[in-house]
């Protein structure tokens, strides 16, 4: 697997196969590697991850329970399409929870974790030059959750991951809009706030970063609302 394990303390190489499959698919959704409306079959998952049908079936069941996948009446599995009302609700949840989670984690962000965040932000900026939407999505996710997981939350982080897994497939559209928009890098502001141990400034930076995404994503959804 080429994505970071949700739980920093657990090495994915030692996790049960069904957990590895679930986590890989979950993070593929979070980072937008599946498109809205895309059909996902047991066979395709089994072949993609080189696993049996049972782990793939269990992963789909769990992701459907999180509203990240949709199992239709004909048993067809697909990535849900995002309506404007659902988008607004997901973004409202992000705005409510992420600044709090960031401020809660701030006292636990050590120098090593901050350096990883800086590296992720650098990789994210470099993704524009390389033209890699995958890199953009992955490093943006890693930047945010490197911070949020610092606090060791057993409630907020799982909630946020559940939210991200639902809107991840639609975040990829932002990649094509950011360069054409004069958006100030809120990650840099967040990093500066962490260096100063300024919780209020960090909350404002995270809040503003989410609002940038809301602004850009709403443009792509407006015509379909």
């Amino acid at each position: 697997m080429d994505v970071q394990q949700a739980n920093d303390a657990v090495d994915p190489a030692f996790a049960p196969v069904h957990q590895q499959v679930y986590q890989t698919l979950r993070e593929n959704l979070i980072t937008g590697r599946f498109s809205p409306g895309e059909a996902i079959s047991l066979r395709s998952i089994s072949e993609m991850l080189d696993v049996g049908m049972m782990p793939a079936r269990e992963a789909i069941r769990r992701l459907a329970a999180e509203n990240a996948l949709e199992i239709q009446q004909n048993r067809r599995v697909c990535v849900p399409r995002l309506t404007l009302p659902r988008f607004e609700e997901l973004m409202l949840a992000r705005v409510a929870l992420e600044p709090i989670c960031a401020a809660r984690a701030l006292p636990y962000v050590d120098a090593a974790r901050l350096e990883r965040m800086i590296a992720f932000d650098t990789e994210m900026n470099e993704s524009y030059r390389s033209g890699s939407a995958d890199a953009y999505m992955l490093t943006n996710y890693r930047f945010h959750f490197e911070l949020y997981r610092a606090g060791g939350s057993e409630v907020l982080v799982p909630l946020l991951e559940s939210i991200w897994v639902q809107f991840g497939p639609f975040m990829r559209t932002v990649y094509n809009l950011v360069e054409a928009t004069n958006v100030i890098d809120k990650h840099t502001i967040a990093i500066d706030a962490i260096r100063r141990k300024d919780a209020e400034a960090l909350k404002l930076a995270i809040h503003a970063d989410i609002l940038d995404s809301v602004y850009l994503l709403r443009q792509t959804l407006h015509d379909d609302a």
Side-chain angles (χ1 to χ4, degrees):
M1 290 185 291
D2 64 348
V3 287
Q4 187 177 25
Q5 179 72 5
N7 186 339
D8 287 343
V10 177
D11 186 339
F14 296 99
V17 173
H18 67 86
Q19 180 65 25
Q20 293 183 47
V21 173
Y22 164 74
Q23 190 62 41
T24 299
L25 289 177
R26 196 171 193 254
E27 291 184 347
N28 281 345
L29 286 161
I30 287 173
T31 56
R33 293 183 182 179
F34 294 114
S35 303
E38 180 177 346
I40 301 176
S41 69
L42 283 171
R43 186 174 299 280
S44 66
I45 293 172
S46 178
E47 292 176 352
M48 178 178 71
L49 301 179
D50 193 23
V51 298
M53 300 290 275
M54 287 299 292
R57 183 177 290 107
E58 175 63 14
I60 286 176
R61 184 193 65 78
R62 292 176 65 183
L63 289 166
E66 294 182 43
N67 296 317
L69 292 177
E70 184 178 281
I71 302 177
Q72 300 177 336
Q73 289 185 343
N74 61 3
R75 308 303 294 172
R76 181 174 179 267
V77 179
C78 66
V79 179
R81 298 188 183 279
L82 190 64
T83 63
L84 185 57
R86 188 179 178 204
F87 162 75
E88 298 283 5
E89 195 169 346
L90 287 169
M91 292 301 108
L92 184 63
R94 284 193 67 192
V95 167
L97 296 177
E98 289 187 43
I100 293 173
C101 191
R104 184 182 181 279
L106 179 59
Y108 305 99
V109 178
D110 58 17
R113 188 174 289 267
L114 180 57
E115 285 304 310
R116 290 196 294 272
M117 291 180 64
I118 293 170
F120 292 146
D121 189 49
T122 299
E123 290 178 44
M124 182 177 164
N125 292 331
E126 289 175 350
S127 73
Y128 297 121
R129 289 189 289 274
S130 66
S132 175
D134 281 349
Y136 170 86
M137 294 292 297
L138 179 59
T139 51
N140 181 55
Y141 164 64
R142 285 181 167 176
F143 176 90
H144 281 269
F145 282 87
E146 186 69 38
L147 170 60
Y148 302 154
R149 291 178 187 134
S153 172
E154 296 180 359
V155 176
L156 289 177
V157 169
L159 280 174
L160 287 174
E161 287 194 325
S162 179
I163 293 166
W164 275 60
V165 79
Q166 292 183 63
F167 78 79
F170 312 93
M171 271 293 292
R172 184 175 286 261
T173 59
V174 170
Y175 180 80
N176 298 320
L177 298 173
V178 171
E179 284 193 301
T181 308
N182 293 322
V183 175
I184 298 173
D185 186 357
K186 306 305 189 303
H187 286 186
T188 299
I189 299 174
I191 288 168
D192 288 342
I194 291 170
R195 286 194 176 110
R196 301 195 312 271
K197 298 295 181 182
D198 188 333
E200 288 304 313
L202 178 59
K203 288 167 68 176
L204 288 172
I206 296 298
H207 183 270
D209 187 54
I210 297 168
L211 291 185
D212 284 345
S213 297
V214 171
Y215 168 73
L216 294 171
L217 275 169
R218 190 178 282 124
Q219 295 180 54
T220 69
L221 291 170
H222 181 72
D223 293 337
D224 299 328

